[in-house]
């Protein structure tokens, strides 16, 4: 199922900044913003360095007064573009009265938007405007997602829940939602088809649905936007057909398409076609997928129904303590599994197949044995309140099983020494650090390595690297965002330290 985390914050379009009359900004070179909004600004950075490249992470509106503007403006603009900078803002005071013609020409050549910042506008005002627009967009998107969740939950309670959920989803996304059968036919649909090109969109959506349908993944298959399947699990035997991703996206003409596998073993797929794509759309569709999975699943027994009820309540914002009685206090075992073929449910309805690693929650007294084609990692028995820790234990046990080429490993039998085979350790390090880039920027790696070695000290890291402490904070924040990890978590720090030393 799709990730149901809060929607990401959308970047600020350069056109939105140019439209602020209080700032008085004016674009003087580079690709015009136009109707598309222009460059996407993720943050603001001020630098008077002759070469700002080492201090940029990408997506910045770089502000400068040209104090150390190089004799070669062409190289200056090229370096900003190479670092991924979104745009350059040039202040007219105190060094220059006008934007240098050579700099404007260089920005035109390299496709870098150049914005004139008038004397009356301090750089801090530009930065404040960017953060304000981001906060406004974030608040709007969170409110939209929250309202959509409430609407979908109310639709699921209607006498005709499945078509009601589809109608609500189509309304919230401003497009068409369709539930597709295993043979690709539309079982139920709601909303207006995108025009023009409705037929093309239907055919492309049917093709996209085949990508996410279980058993559809095949070596060499590929669809734009589809999540890549995992590599064969070490020790799991000869590689078979690759498992299908749980979601995929594509475009057809002006239509944005998305397909989501509906859990439950029935081979159903939710298809969505819209004329635009907003940051929160994936989260809203994820709520609909969970509800449709519950509504279309085979009839459940009393225990399974109670646990599904607990899942829905958690999804709609209930505190874990409020639904503990439905799940039972346990103890529970968390299982992480990777492999090919049908996921091992192990007799439990509480199965999460939303990522490459399948996660299963089952009573601790249930025996778990080897599953052909799959590698399993088991946590120690845990009470409901300790499930997050048990989840981390299962992940470490799975990594140990893969490193030692054993089909099943339990927490308590794992150790760091088991990962010290050079080949396996290097592969593990590459996988863990892959979100930082291919290859990761040396500045990010060196900052992360030094920061971890100095126990997270901003000041000592800044001194060691001869950079400003705010640059350290920015780079570590960028690492945390790309890795999707909490760098205050000691388990995360330990894994990263291991990867940095072995990668």
């Amino acid at each position: 199922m799709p990730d149901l985390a809060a929607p990401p914050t959308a970047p600020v379009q350069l056109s939105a900044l140019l439209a602020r009359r209080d700032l008085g900004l004016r674009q003087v070179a580079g690709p015009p913003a136009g109707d598309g909004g222009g460059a996407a600004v993720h943050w603001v950075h001020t630098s008077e360095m002759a070469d700002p490249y080492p201090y940029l992470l990408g997506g910045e509106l770089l502000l400068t007064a040209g104090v150390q503007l190089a004799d070669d403006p062409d190289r200056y603009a090229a370096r900003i573009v190479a670092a991924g900078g979104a745009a350059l803002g040039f202040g007219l005071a105190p060094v220059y009265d006008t934007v240098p013609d050579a700099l404007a020409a260089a920005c035109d050549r390299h496709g870098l938007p150049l914005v004139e910042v008038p004397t009356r506008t301090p750089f801090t005002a530009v930065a404040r405007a960017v953060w304000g627009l981001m906060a406004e967009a974030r608040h709007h998107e969170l409110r939209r997602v929250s309202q959509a969740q409430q609407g979908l939950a109310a639709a699921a309670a209607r006498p005709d829940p499945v078509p009601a959920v589809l109608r609500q989803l189509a309304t919230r996304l401003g497009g068409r939602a369709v539930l597709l059968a295993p043979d690709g036919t539309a079982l139920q649909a709601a909303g207006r088809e995108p025009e023009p090109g409705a037929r093309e969109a239907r055919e492309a959506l049917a093709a996209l649905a085949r990508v996410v349908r279980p058993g559809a993944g095949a070596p060499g298959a590929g669809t734009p936007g589809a999540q890549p399947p995992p590599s064969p699990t070490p020790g799991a035997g000869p590689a078979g057909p690759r498992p299908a991703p749980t979601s995929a996206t594509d475009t057809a003409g002006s239509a944005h398409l998305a397909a989501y596998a509906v859990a439950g073993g029935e081979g159903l797929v939710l298809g969505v076609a819209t004329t635009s794509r907003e940051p929160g759309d994936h989260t809203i569709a994820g709520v609909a997928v969970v509800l449709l999975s519950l509504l279309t699943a085979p009839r459940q027994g009393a225990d399974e129904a109670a646990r599904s009820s607990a899942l829905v309540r958690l999804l709609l914002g209930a505190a874990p303590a409020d639904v503990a009685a439905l799940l039972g206090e346990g103890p529970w075992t968390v299982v992480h599994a990777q492999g090919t073929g049908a996921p091992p449910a192990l007799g439990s309805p509480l199965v999460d197949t939303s990522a490459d690693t399948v996660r299963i929650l089952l009573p601790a007294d249930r025996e778990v044995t080897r599953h052909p084609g799959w590698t399993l990692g088991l946590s120690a028995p845990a009470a409901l309140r300790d499930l997050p820790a048990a989840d981390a234990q299962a992940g470490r046990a799975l990594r140990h099983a893969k490193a030692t080429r054993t089909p099943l490993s339990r927490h308590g039998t794992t150790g760091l020494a088991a990962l010290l085979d050079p080949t396996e350790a290097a592969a593990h390090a590459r996988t863990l650090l892959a979100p930082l880039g291919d290859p990761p920027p040396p500045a990010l790696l060196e900052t992360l390595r030094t920061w971890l070695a100095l126990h997270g000290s901003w000041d000592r890291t800044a001194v060691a690297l001869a950079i400003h402490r705010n640059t350290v904070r920015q780079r570590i924040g960028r690492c945390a965002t790309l890795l999707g990890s909490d760098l205050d978590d000691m388990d995360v720090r330990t894994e990263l330290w291991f990867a940095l030393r072995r990668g």
Side-chain angles (χ1 to χ4, degrees):
M1 298 180 192
D3 179 13
L4 301 183
T9 299
V12 173
Q13 299 301 314
L14 184 59
S15 59
L17 279 177
L18 296 174
R20 290 281 298 263
R21 293 186 177 181
D22 58 318
L23 298 177
L25 304 180
R26 183 173 68 93
Q27 185 171 352
V28 296
D35 296 335
V41 177
H42 292 264
W43 36 61
V44 177
H45 181 63
T46 301
S47 174
E48 298 300 340
M49 303 297 294
D51 181 11
Y53 178 92
Y55 306 95
L56 300 181
L57 298 175
E60 295 94 348
L61 168 60
L62 177 64
L63 301 176
T64 181
V67 175
Q68 296 191 53
L69 185 62
D71 295 333
D72 186 358
D74 189 84
R75 183 178 184 277
Y76 183 77
R79 293 285 283 172
I80 296 173
V81 172
L88 175 64
F90 195 88
L92 295 186
V95 182
Y96 292 88
D97 294 330
T98 61
V99 177
D101 292 338
L103 179 61
C107 289
D108 277 329
R109 282 193 297 273
H110 293 283
L112 177 66
L114 176 60
V115 176
E116 177 188 272
V117 182
T119 305
R120 64 179 175 82
T121 302
F123 286 173
T124 53
V126 178
R128 185 187 305 165
V130 170
W131 308 142
L133 289 171
M134 282 186 172
E136 181 181 334
R138 176 72 167 175
H139 177 72
H140 170 78
E141 202 62 19
L142 286 173
R143 183 171 55 189
R144 186 175 80 96
V145 169
S146 177
Q147 292 173 346
Q149 288 177 332
Q150 295 173 11
L152 289 167
R158 293 178 57 87
D160 55 343
V162 172
V165 168
L166 292 175
R167 286 194 298 270
Q168 185 67 212
L169 180 62
T171 299
R172 296 292 177 176
L173 299 186
R176 184 168 179 81
V178 55
L179 186 64
L180 300 169
D183 62 1
T185 59
L187 297 176
Q188 300 186 61
R192 180 180 302 176
E193 290 186 305
E195 294 291 349
R199 179 176 179 179
E200 178 187 4
R202 283 197 302 270
E203 294 175 351
L205 190 59
L208 197 63
R210 290 193 291 271
V211 175
V212 302
R213 187 170 291 115
T223 296
Q227 299 175 0
S231 302
T233 303
R242 296 185 300 181
T246 57
S247 66
T249 59
D250 200 358
T251 57
S254 61
H256 295 268
L257 310 177
Y260 303 88
V262 177
E266 301 300 308
L268 302 178
V269 173
L270 171 64
V272 176
T274 59
T275 55
S276 62
R277 183 174 293 156
E278 301 297 331
D281 288 356
H282 182 73
T283 303
I284 294 172
V287 175
V289 170
V290 172
L291 294 173
L292 291 172
S293 298
L294 297 173
L295 294 170
T296 60
R299 182 176 296 275
Q300 302 171 326
D303 291 343
E304 287 78 5
R307 291 167 186 167
S308 294
S309 176
L311 174 61
V312 172
R313 295 190 191 183
L314 287 170
L315 176 67
L316 299 179
D322 296 337
V323 299
L326 294 174
L327 285 175
E329 279 297 327
W332 297 87
T333 296
V334 180
V335 180
H336 283 203
Q338 286 186 355
T340 58
L346 305 180
S348 171
L350 303 176
V351 181
D352 176 14
T353 60
S354 63
D356 294 343
T357 298
V358 175
R359 299 193 299 179
I360 308 161
L361 185 64
L362 69 162
D365 58 1
R366 184 167 300 171
E367 182 180 2
V368 179
T369 58
R370 300 180 178 184
H371 194 87
W374 286 77
T375 303
L376 309 180
L378 281 65
S379 73
L384 189 66
R385 65 180 179 277
D386 297 325
L387 287 182
D391 185 53
Q393 292 176 0
R396 290 194 292 270
L398 176 62
R399 291 192 291 272
H400 176 267
K402 293 171 62 178
T404 57
R405 300 181 182 275
T406 56
L408 186 149
S409 179
R410 300 177 185 272
H411 175 72
T413 63
T414 63
L416 193 59
L419 294 176
L420 293 182
D421 174 81
T423 302
E424 297 292 345
H428 172 76
R430 286 194 300 271
T431 300
L432 191 62
L433 299 174
L436 295 179
D438 184 19
L444 284 186
L445 287 183
E446 185 60 23
T447 303
L448 181 59
R449 182 183 293 108
T450 305
W451 183 76
L452 290 172
L454 296 175
H455 309 291
S457 171
W458 308 108
D459 292 329
R460 294 171 63 193
T461 303
V463 171
L465 297 178
I467 59 178
H468 196 279
R469 68 193 306 271
N470 287 343
T471 302
V472 176
R473 287 184 177 275
Q474 186 184 41
R475 289 179 181 176
I476 297 301
R478 180 64 171 164
C479 290
T481 299
L482 293 173
L483 294 169
S485 301
D486 179 7
L487 298 188
D488 289 331
D489 187 315
M490 183 54 67
D491 285 337
V492 173
R493 290 194 185 190
T494 302
E495 288 282 344
L496 289 174
W497 180 247
F498 176 84
L500 290 166
R501 289 178 63 85
R502 295 289 168 178

